[in-house]
Amino acid sequence: MDHQHALLLSDLCHKYGQVQLALFRDFLAWKDIRKNWRRSSGSTSPTAHGHAVHTSEIVAVHKTDTSDQTRATKHLQLNPHAFTVFYVRRTTQHQWRCDDVTFYCDNLGLCQHWIQTINDQLATQMTERANHARDHLKTEANLDQYDGVVSVGGDGMFNEILHGLVARTQSEHGIDANRPDAHLAPCSLRIGIIPAGSTDCICFATVGTNDPVTSALHIIVGDSQPMDVSSVHHNDTFLRYSVSLLGYGFYADIQTDSERQRWLGPARYDLSGVKTFLSHNYYEGTVSFVTADDNVGDPRDKEQCRAGCRVCQRKTSLREPRHDDPSHAGKVNETWTDIHGKFIAINAANMSCACPRSPQGLSPAAHLADGTADLILVRKCSRLDFFKHLLRHTNKEDQFDHSFVEVHRVRKFRFQPRHDDPVSLEDLSGPQKQADQGPVCSRVAGCHYGNCGCSHWTCDGEILPHVAIQVSVQCQLIRVFARGIEEKNHHQSPVWLLEAAAHQSAG
């Protein structure tokens, strides 16, 4: 093996004693200090003795908590700072496992220097806070060398990556995302999803399962599925992007109340759901929307979005002029429809929003990439009727076959509440101040339990700071490593293929 120059060389400790650790361009190597490496020549062989790990097979490196040294040996007690390297270890039968080794030193600066230098070689970024992934992709990351970004986590991590990539793309194209009528530039990088959350709605709706191995294989084979993204604005201020569900009323009330019960863990959603159902609040306001008249399909038809969906493929071939076509600006003749009423829930689904608890989702016929959202309006009704509506989320019956439910396939919509009261995000996480208030009421004069004048919007699990919003569906703004849900008979029988080949040969 060719000799390489050591990028970093230090005498450190691990649990078996003192070692000499060296980082090379392609390897991380360490061995017992008693077998000295040649320092004078400035070069050495990383695999001459001891252990060597290829840098491409290092999974991660981070600082290790050494506060509990009660059982440590004396030489480790004298070296209170440590970092751990996680790497691939090969076992029998071509199997890989994750192994780790921890190195100790007496100097915090040296410890941090090793972590930073190894991470520089790995080109990895460990997230340390909420929205860290979003901010890194938005401003710092060098994306030219990548084909995609993989999210390991739940829908929240996916949304961080989505917001970072979309914001970065608009900035590079000089597009003002605060303009509600702006046609956004599509992202060039695909997003992969390895599901590791509680519901993983986005993964379930694009693959049909929450199995991480299946998702990993979709990434490996390089599948590509376009997806619509809704941009949400308040006046001329951008709020968030949505890929699954925008909900006002019932689902937002559940989300808001559950945030106050985080100490309960996942059970808080069930508890908040029961409380919100029993409260039976309704909210008055005006919904305005632009119907997608040119779209193939209807929210109540039986043609669900599947791999190779003809509705989404048609939209791809007839894609609307985007940001790079200035002649399109101001020439769209939009007809807005206004509906005023009292609503228990207003939901806008960019996809079916299917999950294991609701295999058909909130809108079973919604499409992933047709440039529309299904706007579902649930008007004031009895608790029994609303329960019947919720029950249909768990079966295959028509969810919209109720007199108090209507659904529209739209390209844009906006909502104006009767009481336009700004939301304090601090109030959402604090305890309720009055027992006679609904789960989200805090300021509206005259508001009383069971007839609240205010609610919030939940946008893919995040509460928005404004109630009066305008939403525009951006057609096929992103792509994910998926191909859509496959039909069970997607692959033809090998016997049928052989018979067809034999028939062709005979002909």
Side-chain angles (χ1 to χ4, degrees):
M1 178 178 294
D2 295 337
H3 288 186
Q4 298 181 15
H5 181 75
L7 303 176
L8 194 58
L9 182 66
S10 298
D11 294 344
L12 304 177
C13 294
H14 66 20
K15 61 182 179 180
Y16 298 116
Q18 287 187 306
V19 296
Q20 195 170 73
L21 180 66
L23 176 64
F24 302 86
R25 185 185 70 253
D26 299 322
F27 291 91
L28 177 71
W30 65 95
K31 70 172 184 177
D32 194 296
I33 197 77
R34 290 168 296 180
K35 300 177 181 179
N36 293 324
W37 286 340
R38 294 170 294 170
R39 291 175 178 266
S40 58
S41 64
S43 64
T44 186
S45 172
T47 57
H49 298 284
H51 302 271
V53 177
H54 203 288
T55 53
S56 66
E57 296 180 358
I58 295 178
V59 178
V61 57
H62 60 71
K63 192 176 186 303
T64 305
D65 182 11
T66 60
S67 57
D68 184 9
Q69 294 283 345
T70 56
R71 291 180 294 177
T73 59
K74 182 177 180 180
H75 77 280
L76 296 186
Q77 292 176 357
L78 297 175
N79 295 272
H81 307 288
F83 62 93
T84 301
V85 178
F86 298 86
Y87 61 93
V88 171
R89 175 175 58 87
R90 287 168 173 78
T91 62
T92 58
Q93 299 297 322
H94 307 288
Q95 293 181 350
W96 286 12
R97 294 293 183 268
C98 187
D99 208 345
D100 63 85
V101 57
T102 300
F103 299 98
Y104 299 81
C105 62
D106 60 356
N107 188 296
L108 177 60
L110 179 61
C111 178
Q112 294 174 336
H113 183 46
W114 267 100
I115 295 173
Q116 182 62 48
T117 306
I118 295 177
N119 274 326
D120 289 343
Q121 293 298 109
L122 302 181
T124 61
Q125 179 69 38
M126 301 293 292
T127 56
E128 301 173 352
R129 54 179 171 80
N131 292 321
H132 190 178
R134 179 201 66 185
D135 296 340
H136 179 70
L137 291 170
K138 182 178 178 179
T139 58
E140 303 172 7
N142 180 10
L143 303 179
D144 295 336
Q145 55 184 321
Y146 300 110
D147 297 317
V149 181
V150 177
S151 164
V152 182
D155 293 338
M157 178 57 71
F158 175 86
N159 271 278
E160 281 199 35
I161 293 175
L162 164 72
H163 279 78
L165 288 180
V166 173
R168 177 75 167 265
T169 303
Q170 308 322 306
S171 177
E172 292 176 347
H173 285 80
I175 298 174
D176 183 5
N178 286 315
R179 288 178 47 212
D181 60 344
H183 285 279
L184 303 183
C187 298
S188 58
L189 296 184
R190 284 170 287 177
I191 304 176
I193 312 172
I194 304 295
S198 55
T199 58
D200 298 305
C201 170
I202 299 170
C203 180
F204 196 93
T206 54
V207 179
T209 179
N210 290 345
D211 176 47
V213 175
T214 301
S215 295
L217 290 173
H218 277 284
I219 297 171
I220 292 171
V221 301
D223 281 335
S224 182
Q225 169 66 48
M227 283 180 59
D228 299 334
V229 177
S230 289
S231 58
V232 186
H233 293 77
H234 171 72
N235 296 331
D236 291 328
T237 302
F238 166 75
L239 299 180
R240 281 188 70 86
Y241 295 113
S242 172
V243 293
S244 56
L245 176 67
L246 266 168
Y248 179 80
F250 181 74
Y251 289 105
D253 291 353
I254 293 176
Q255 180 70 29
T256 304
D257 187 74
S258 68
E259 286 299 307
R260 302 189 181 102
Q261 319 291 338
R262 295 189 67 88
W263 58 276
L264 287 173
R268 67 185 188 272
Y269 295 111
D270 294 328
L271 176 61
S272 296
V274 173
K275 288 173 59 179
T276 304
F277 174 79
L278 294 177
S279 299
H280 200 59
N281 296 328
Y282 57 88
Y283 309 94
E284 188 169 358
T286 301
V287 182
S288 306
F289 55 87
V290 177
T291 306
D293 294 329
D294 60 338
N295 190 67
V296 176
D298 182 86
R300 297 190 65 179
D301 63 25
K302 302 299 181 181
E303 185 174 1
Q304 297 182 343
C305 189
R306 293 293 183 261
C309 173
R310 69 179 188 90
V311 174
C312 297
Q313 287 184 340
R314 176 181 178 272
K315 200 64 180 182
T316 301
S317 62
L318 300 176
R319 182 175 296 176
E320 300 174 9
R322 303 193 68 85
H323 66 283
D324 53 354
D325 185 2
S327 63
H328 182 67
K331 292 188 177 181
V332 178
N333 184 20
E334 296 178 341
T335 302
W336 288 82
T337 301
D338 297 333
I339 296 179
H340 182 84
K342 298 176 181 178
F343 305 98
I344 294 178
I346 300 173
N347 300 316
N350 277 63
M351 56 176 63
S352 67
C353 298
C355 66
R357 287 193 174 189
S358 178
Q360 299 298 312
L362 295 184
S363 186
H367 289 271
L368 294 173
D370 66 343
T372 70
D374 286 353
L375 183 63
I376 307 166
L377 308 178
V378 183
R379 295 179 181 270
K380 176 185 174 183
C381 61
S382 68
R383 281 189 180 87
L384 178 60
D385 283 341
F386 186 57
F387 178 76
K388 292 178 180 178
H389 170 67
L390 293 178
L391 191 62
R392 292 193 177 184
H393 292 165
T394 64
N395 55 44
K396 296 183 178 181
E397 294 185 50
D398 187 354
Q399 301 179 22
F400 312 123
D401 188 22
H402 294 289
S403 59
F404 55 89
V405 178
E406 57 183 289
V407 59
H408 306 273
R409 186 152 286 175
V410 303
R411 290 192 294 112
K412 297 180 180 181
F413 77 92
R414 55 181 177 239
F415 176 70
Q416 181 64 45
R418 180 182 178 185
H419 302 282
D420 189 7
D421 194 37
V423 176
S424 171
L425 295 182
E426 294 180 356
D427 290 345
L428 304 184
S429 58
Q432 291 174 240
K433 297 181 180 180
Q434 298 180 20
D436 61 343
Q437 289 180 337
V440 293
C441 293
S442 59
R443 293 201 208 54
V444 177
C447 181
H448 59 279
Y449 197 76
N451 187 14
C452 301
C454 57
S455 183
H456 307 128
W457 283 95
T458 176
C459 179
D460 295 356
E462 297 292 333
I463 299 297
L464 297 182
H466 296 280
V467 178
I469 63 171
Q470 179 172 332
V471 180
S472 177
V473 183
Q474 304 286 336
C475 185
Q476 302 183 8
L477 189 64
I478 62 171
R479 287 181 172 268
V480 296
F481 286 99
R483 64 178 61 174
I485 300 175
E486 293 182 331
E487 299 286 1
K488 292 183 178 180
N489 60 348
H490 177 74
H491 295 288
Q492 298 189 17
S493 168
V495 175
W496 185 91
L497 293 173
L498 290 173
E499 291 177 352
H503 179 75
Q504 182 179 1
S505 176

